[in-house]
Amino acid sequence: MFFGVFNLPWWGDLVVALLLTHVTIVAVTVFLHRHQTHRALDLHPAVSHFFRLWLWLTTGMVTKEWAAVHRKHHAKCETPEDPHSPQILGINRVLWRGVFLYVEEARKPETLERYGHGTPDDWLERNIYSRFQIVGLTLMGAADILLFGLVPGILILLIQLEWIPFWAAGVINGIGHYWGYRNWSTPDASTNIVPLGLLIGGEELHNNHHAYPTSAKLSVKWYEFDIGWLYIRLLEVAGLARVKHTAPIPHLVAPKPAVDPQTLQAIIACRYAVLAQYGRTLRRAYREELAKLRRFAPHDALALQAVKPWLDRDEKLLRENERARLAELLPKSHVLQTMVAMRHELAAVWGRSMATREQLVAQLQDWCRRAETSEIKPLAEFSRQLRCYA
């Protein structure tokens, strides 16, 4: 009873706990998140069911509930209806009590009905995994005690039980919308926590995920690493997975005389890359304007230093006082005022869901015409680059 099949030293038990929790992380990121929720890849039925079984044993989570809560998070991100936004609920509540927010939302029939479609609904799901969640955890606890002894087994089980609630429900949902760096100007507060996605299966790259939610690969920059993507590629090589979607890569050609439907399609598909490029152009214009104002209007230059962090942020992410301050200071620079306004216009192009393709092409052509006749050199250069998308 007190000694298990494997009488390991303390560090051996710790390694076992970390390995077991890593399998659980892989099950969450590959199966629950990328496969079931976002349909970024297909999994072989044997692999899919292994992950379902493992999650039943180690977390008791129901696939439909997890997928529904996460889909609602994307649909209502950073609004009062978001199940776990630290921007709305506060970082401490989401970080330390995120699992309770998940459970609360998962109990809402309307959430499951609207967002839980397409998840497993076979005999095992209905009669075992959904009905007897505590049984899976009990079996895993018994196995831990049998294999590693009473005290090590209980400690290993406790680590397993706390791992996902803290790292996924707390850290990713909390820190991943509060602190970190951003590759993409998404209309939410998502961040990449660190560039190396090792501990939480690649989920650390949360801003990348919100920019391209249906991508099976969460890393996009050369210095980023997504260990979940490594496992997906290994499964694909073994014939046990098929990747359906990854983030689009911009394809550039010689500038076209004018924006056409193909250009529009490419710009919409790569809209976050377009906004990132515009952000770099805007920052270049800001530096040039600041240098000019320091010579001719030093007081205006000093005042405009405050607006730098807000220039290329989505307006919805600015606080009321930040929006007011931006509106007050931008008139001091015609260049920056024009470029900030045109950024909002450009982002609005792919937000007009009711417009026809012909209308959107005409709007984008007009945007490019005004940009190239604005006498603002960085803006005109960006517009010419925009006509290179194909």
Side-chain angles (χ1 to χ4, degrees), residues 58-208:
T58 58
T59 69
M61 291 191 299
V62 177
T63 303
K64 183 175 184 176
E65 293 176 354
W66 199 97
V69 173
H70 188 70
R71 287 169 180 167
K72 184 174 182 179
H73 162 64
H74 276 269
K76 307 294 183 180
C77 198
E78 321 298 16
T79 72
E81 295 182 75
D82 188 334
H84 43 64
S85 169
Q87 300 296 323
I88 304 297
L89 301 172
I91 183 61
N92 285 325
R93 185 176 176 189
V94 178
L95 178 62
W96 302 111
R97 296 179 58 82
V99 65
F100 299 107
L101 297 172
Y102 162 82
V103 171
E104 179 184 348
E105 190 65 40
R107 288 176 176 170
K108 297 179 180 178
E110 62 272 19
T111 298
L112 301 183
E113 178 66 26
R114 182 170 182 181
Y115 298 104
H117 52 81
T119 51
D121 190 33
D122 54 16
W123 185 91
L124 277 171
E125 193 71 25
R126 292 191 305 271
N127 295 283
I128 303 295
Y129 297 152
S130 296
R131 290 182 61 189
F132 302 109
Q133 294 164 267
I134 195 66
V135 173
L137 298 173
T138 303
L139 290 174
M140 177 55 72
D144 287 338
I145 292 171
L146 177 65
L147 293 173
F148 307 108
L150 181 61
V151 174
I154 291 175
L155 291 175
I156 289 171
L157 178 64
L158 289 175
I159 292 173
Q160 289 176 287
L161 293 178
E162 290 296 327
W163 201 260
I164 293 298
F166 177 70
W167 290 107
V171 172
I172 297 300
N173 293 338
I175 303 298
H177 281 263
Y178 191 80
W179 179 88
Y181 70 96
R182 286 166 60 87
N183 289 327
W184 315 111
S185 186
T186 55
D188 53 59
S190 61
T191 62
N192 296 324
I193 301 173
V194 291
L196 299 181
L198 297 168
L199 185 63
I200 322 177
E203 298 292 334
E204 295 92 333
L205 299 165
H206 202 56
N207 174 244
N208 294 350

Side-chain angles (χ1 to χ4, degrees), residues 198-357:
L198 297 168
L199 185 63
I200 322 177
E203 298 292 334
E204 295 92 333
L205 299 165
H206 202 56
N207 174 244
N208 294 350
H209 168 61
H210 270 261
Y212 304 106
T214 61
S215 174
K217 182 183 181 185
L218 304 188
S219 57
V220 293
K221 301 294 186 181
W222 65 267
Y223 52 83
E224 295 174 338
F225 179 72
D226 168 19
I227 197 170
W229 174 246
L230 172 63
Y231 295 133
I232 289 169
R233 292 291 293 128
L234 291 174
L235 289 170
E236 194 173 36
V237 169
L240 299 174
R242 181 178 70 86
V243 173
K244 297 166 64 177
H245 305 288
T246 56
I249 299 174
H251 176 61
L252 304 179
V253 297
K256 298 179 183 179
V259 169
D260 58 23
Q262 288 72 35
T263 309
L264 172 70
Q265 182 178 351
I267 288 172
I268 291 176
C270 301
R271 57 191 178 276
Y272 290 117
V274 170
L275 282 182
Q277 183 181 358
Y278 193 90
R280 291 190 291 271
T281 303
L282 183 52
R283 288 190 290 275
R284 170 191 158 195
Y286 171 80
R287 291 192 297 270
E288 293 174 356
E289 275 295 285
L290 213 60
K292 187 187 303 180
L293 288 171
R294 279 172 179 151
R295 292 198 303 271
F296 302 109
H299 291 295
D300 289 347
L302 187 63
L304 280 171
Q305 288 180 357
V307 308
K308 183 179 180 181
W310 311 327
L311 288 176
D312 63 340
R313 286 180 64 185
D314 192 280
E315 195 172 11
K316 291 190 297 184
L317 296 179
L318 294 176
R319 298 183 180 91
E320 190 62 38
N321 65 315
E322 292 172 342
R323 279 196 293 269
R325 188 73 171 142
L326 196 61
E328 175 191 348
L329 295 176
L330 278 180
K332 296 180 182 296
S333 167
H334 169 71
V335 169
L336 296 180
Q337 187 177 36
T338 301
M339 291 193 67
V340 169
M342 293 198 72
R343 181 200 182 279
H344 296 324
E345 290 182 32
L346 181 62
V349 169
W350 48 76
R352 297 188 176 109
S353 58
M354 301 301 292
T356 65
R357 184 172 66 170

